[in-house]
Amino acid sequence: MKVATYTFQSTASNGRVEGDYVLDLSAALPAGCTTMLDVLRTGPALIERLETANLSGARKLRLDEVKLAAPIANPSKFLAIGLNYQDHLEEVLARGGK
C-alpha cells in the first residue's frame, strides 16, 4: 500500500495512493488518529484494515491537485549515510576507504 500525507485547499490529510489518485483516509481512521504517525503507532491491524478498506465514498483527488508533504511531520530521528554525499565519498576514497 502506498500512503501519502497531503494538503488540499489548505487542509492536511492522509490518503491511500492508487495510480494517479489519492483517496482520503479520514473516514476510515479511528477517532483521534489524524496523522500518519498515529496510524503507524496504532499498529499492523489498522494498516491491514486500511489496505483493504472500501474507499468508494472517499474523496478522490488527482495527485497533481494536492501538495504532498513528508509522511511524518516531525520525526524523532533522521538517519542518513554519509556516503550519499559525493564530496564525502571522494574524501573517504582518498584516505583509502577509512
Side-chain angles (χ1 to χ4, degrees), residues 1-3 15-17 25 39 46-48 50-52:
M1 172 176 67
K2 293 181 185 179
V3 295
R16 185 173 77 194
V17 177
L25 288 173
V39 171
L46 175 59
I47 294 168
E48 288 174 17
L50 294 176
E51 284 182 310
T52 59

Side-chain angles (χ1 to χ4, degrees), residues 4-44:
T5 300
Y6 67 93
T7 302
F8 179 71
Q9 296 180 343
S10 302
T11 302
S13 193
N14 299 295
R16 185 173 77 194
V17 177
E18 294 184 1
D20 293 333
Y21 294 90
V22 61
L23 285 78
D24 189 71
L25 288 173
S26 298
L29 295 174
C33 193
T34 58
T35 69
M36 198 56 66
L37 185 56
D38 294 336
V39 171
L40 295 173
R41 285 182 175 154
T42 301

Side-chain angles (χ1 to χ4, degrees), residues 70-81:
I72 308 297
N74 297 307
S76 62
K77 293 181 183 178
F78 182 82
L79 306 176
I81 298 173

Side-chain angles (χ1 to χ4, degrees), residues 44-62:
L46 175 59
I47 294 168
E48 288 174 17
R49 194 172 83 217
L50 294 176
E51 284 182 310
T52 59
N54 180 352
L55 300 177
S56 60
R59 180 171 52 181
K60 183 176 181 179
L61 301 165
R62 290 190 51 81

